[in-house]
């Protein structure tokens, strides 16, 4: 499960994140901005971080911070994501079916009172300045912050106008209800098998892309494989270099130079080693680009397609770069051959 936090200034988002950290892995989208500030030697004031975040969104796209976060998340842990300040970030996080956006809110007078108590030098000193700052942080277009728009996109609102005990009780009930909701909203079989293929891909040793494949027959997993060197040979991760990368060979070309056996081939070979028939089965393929951490969304290469055809598989299912699922009937590849 991924819990996203947005909401009003000084409404208690950090308090919510701290409480959920007892059960969730915490990740702040601002972490990437702080790391960039360190690289550039920029003082990490609120204003400087806002401007740097806007520059990153303007240069790499409004969703860049969320894309970086998703590339780090697996399927086996719960996450709480804070510092969500742009609608594009929400749209990317919503690619995960287990993502829920919570808006933490409180009356403006109470929020100003909380802010005044912490007495930070860069905080507004009057209620009028406080409201002006909120308006500035609530743009609706471009790479700037869109706090009001993010709040409207939240499917869940938590009103934090009481004490800690009341807030924690609300959160406990909310997390319980969301877990029940997820149980009812279980993944489809294709999503389930692609999730397993993703887990297999984490064993990959290629320096360019990590692919994992599983073969399913009669609704049972009969084989798996990931991209890596032939048995007993040194992997690219062992020698620390990729020959095709050093020669600047484009993707999809000169595979004979590559040390790795592709995930699809390894899945078929693994079934053959155990004497398991894959005729009539489905192959699920998941890939991720190492340099970006993003889903590759690439269908099998020509060599793998021929192996799949000869193995007697009937269908190949992949996850596209945008998170959607695509299916290929192997008989269509035969016609093209």
């Amino acid at each position: 499960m991924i819990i996203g936090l947005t909401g009003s200034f000084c409404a208690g988002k950090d308090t919510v994140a701290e409480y959920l950290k007892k059960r969730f892995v915490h990740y702040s989208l601002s972490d990437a901005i702080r790391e960039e500030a360190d690289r550039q030697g920029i003082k990490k004031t609120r204003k400087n971080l806002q401007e740097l975040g806007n520059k990153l969104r303007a240069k790499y796209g409004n969703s860049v911070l969320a894309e970086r976060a998703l590339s780090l998340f697996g399927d086996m842990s719960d996450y709480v994501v804070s510092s969500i300040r742009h609608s594009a970030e929400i749209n990317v996080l919503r690619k995960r079916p287990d993502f829920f956006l919570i808006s933490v809110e409180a009356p403006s007078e109470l929020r100003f009172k909380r802010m005044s108590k912490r007495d930070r030098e860069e905080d507004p000193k009057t209620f009028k300045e406080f409201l002006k700052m909120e308006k500035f942080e609530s743009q609706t277009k471009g790479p700037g912050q869109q706090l009001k728009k993010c709040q409207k996109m939240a499917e869940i609102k938590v009103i934090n106008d009481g004490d800690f005990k009341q807030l924690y009780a609300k959160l406990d009930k909310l997390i319980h209800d969301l877990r029940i909701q997820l149980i009812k909203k279980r993944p489809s079989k294709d999503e389930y098998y692609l999730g397993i293929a993703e887990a297999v891909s984490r064993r990959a040793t290629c320096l360019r892309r990590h692919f994992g494949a599983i073969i399913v027959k009669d609704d049972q997993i009969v084989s798996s494989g990931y991209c890596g060197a032939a048995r007993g040979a040194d992997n690219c991760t062992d020698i620390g270099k990729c020959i095709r990368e050093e020669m600047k060979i484009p993707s999809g070309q000169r595979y004979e130079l590559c040390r790795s056996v592709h995930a699809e081939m390894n899945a078929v070979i693994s079934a053959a080693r155990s004497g398991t028939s894959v005729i009539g089965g489905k192959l699920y393929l998941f890939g991720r680009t190492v340099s970006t951490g993003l889903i590759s969304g690439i269908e099998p290469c020509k060599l793998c397609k021929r192996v799949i055809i000869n193995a007697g598989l009937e269908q190949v299912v992949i996850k596209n770069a945008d998170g959607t699922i695509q299916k290929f009937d192997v008989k269509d590849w035969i016609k093209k051959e």
Side-chain angles (χ1 to χ4, degrees), residues 33-44 48 52:
I33 302 175
R34 294 189 185 96
E35 290 170 4
E36 186 64 29
D38 287 336
R39 280 193 290 270
Q40 296 187 27
I42 298 173
K43 187 177 180 180
K44 288 177 283 190
N48 288 347
L52 183 56

Short mmCIF file of all heavy atoms in Angstrom, two decimals, residues 33-44 48 52:
data_model
loop_
_atom_site.label_atom_id
_atom_site.label_comp_id
_atom_site.label_asym_id
_atom_site.label_seq_id
_atom_site.Cartn_x
_atom_site.Cartn_y
_atom_site.Cartn_z
N ILE A 33 14.91 16.86 -3.96
CA ILE A 33 15.24 18.28 -4.09
C ILE A 33 16.40 18.63 -3.14
O ILE A 33 17.33 19.35 -3.52
CB ILE A 33 14.02 19.15 -3.77
CG1 ILE A 33 12.86 18.81 -4.71
CG2 ILE A 33 14.37 20.64 -3.89
CD1 ILE A 33 11.57 19.54 -4.39
N ARG A 34 16.36 18.10 -1.93
CA ARG A 34 17.43 18.36 -0.96
C ARG A 34 18.77 17.79 -1.46
O ARG A 34 19.82 18.42 -1.29
CB ARG A 34 17.07 17.76 0.39
CG ARG A 34 15.87 18.43 1.06
CD ARG A 34 15.69 17.94 2.49
NE ARG A 34 14.49 18.50 3.08
CZ ARG A 34 13.32 17.87 3.12
NH1 ARG A 34 13.20 16.66 2.59
NH2 ARG A 34 12.27 18.45 3.68
N GLU A 35 18.71 16.60 -2.05
CA GLU A 35 19.94 16.00 -2.58
C GLU A 35 20.51 16.87 -3.70
O GLU A 35 21.73 17.05 -3.79
CB GLU A 35 19.64 14.60 -3.11
CG GLU A 35 19.33 13.58 -2.01
CD GLU A 35 18.81 12.27 -2.57
OE1 GLU A 35 18.77 12.13 -3.82
OE2 GLU A 35 18.44 11.39 -1.77
N GLU A 36 19.63 17.40 -4.55
CA GLU A 36 20.07 18.28 -5.63
C GLU A 36 20.65 19.57 -5.07
O GLU A 36 21.65 20.09 -5.59
CB GLU A 36 18.90 18.58 -6.57
CG GLU A 36 19.27 19.36 -7.83
CD GLU A 36 20.21 18.60 -8.76
OE1 GLU A 36 20.15 17.35 -8.76
OE2 GLU A 36 21.00 19.25 -9.47
N ALA A 37 20.05 20.09 -4.01
CA ALA A 37 20.56 21.30 -3.37
C ALA A 37 21.97 21.06 -2.82
O ALA A 37 22.85 21.93 -2.94
CB ALA A 37 19.62 21.74 -2.25
N ASP A 38 22.19 19.89 -2.24
CA ASP A 38 23.52 19.55 -1.73
C ASP A 38 24.54 19.49 -2.87
O ASP A 38 25.67 19.97 -2.73
CB ASP A 38 23.49 18.20 -1.01
CG ASP A 38 22.79 18.28 0.34
OD1 ASP A 38 22.75 19.38 0.91
OD2 ASP A 38 22.29 17.24 0.81
N ARG A 39 24.12 18.89 -3.99
CA ARG A 39 25.04 18.79 -5.15
C ARG A 39 25.42 20.16 -5.69
O ARG A 39 26.54 20.37 -6.13
CB ARG A 39 24.41 17.95 -6.26
CG ARG A 39 24.49 16.45 -6.04
CD ARG A 39 24.15 15.68 -7.29
NE ARG A 39 22.73 15.77 -7.62
CZ ARG A 39 21.81 14.93 -7.19
NH1 ARG A 39 22.16 13.91 -6.42
NH2 ARG A 39 20.55 15.07 -7.52
N GLN A 40 24.44 21.09 -5.66
CA GLN A 40 24.69 22.42 -6.22
C GLN A 40 25.20 23.41 -5.18
O GLN A 40 25.47 24.56 -5.50
CB GLN A 40 23.40 22.96 -6.85
CG GLN A 40 22.91 22.15 -8.04
CD GLN A 40 21.73 22.81 -8.74
OE1 GLN A 40 21.58 24.04 -8.71
NE2 GLN A 40 20.91 22.02 -9.40
N GLY A 41 25.29 22.98 -3.92
CA GLY A 41 25.76 23.88 -2.86
C GLY A 41 24.78 24.97 -2.52
O GLY A 41 25.17 26.08 -2.11
N ILE A 42 23.49 24.67 -2.65
CA ILE A 42 22.44 25.66 -2.37
C ILE A 42 21.98 25.51 -0.92
O ILE A 42 21.73 24.40 -0.45
CB ILE A 42 21.24 25.46 -3.32
CG1 ILE A 42 21.68 25.69 -4.77
CG2 ILE A 42 20.09 26.41 -2.96
CD1 ILE A 42 20.61 25.37 -5.79
N LYS A 43 21.85 26.62 -0.21
CA LYS A 43 21.36 26.60 1.16
C LYS A 43 19.91 26.13 1.18
O LYS A 43 19.09 26.60 0.39
CB LYS A 43 21.46 28.00 1.78
CG LYS A 43 21.12 28.02 3.26
CD LYS A 43 21.30 29.42 3.83
CE LYS A 43 20.96 29.45 5.32
NZ LYS A 43 21.13 30.80 5.89
N LYS A 44 19.59 25.18 2.08
CA LYS A 44 18.28 24.54 2.06
C LYS A 44 17.24 25.32 2.88
O LYS A 44 16.74 24.85 3.89
CB LYS A 44 18.40 23.09 2.54
CG LYS A 44 19.09 22.19 1.53
CD LYS A 44 19.28 20.79 2.03
CE LYS A 44 20.42 20.68 3.00
NZ LYS A 44 20.76 19.29 3.33
N ASN A 48 14.42 28.54 -1.23
CA ASN A 48 15.37 27.94 -2.17
C ASN A 48 14.92 26.56 -2.65
O ASN A 48 15.05 26.22 -3.82
CB ASN A 48 16.75 27.84 -1.54
CG ASN A 48 17.43 29.18 -1.38
OD1 ASN A 48 17.00 30.17 -1.97
ND2 ASN A 48 18.49 29.22 -0.59
N LEU A 52 14.03 25.46 -6.44
CA LEU A 52 14.77 24.35 -7.04
C LEU A 52 13.81 23.26 -7.50
O LEU A 52 13.98 22.67 -8.58
CB LEU A 52 15.78 23.79 -6.04
CG LEU A 52 16.69 22.67 -6.56
CD1 LEU A 52 17.46 23.11 -7.80
CD2 LEU A 52 17.67 22.24 -5.47
#
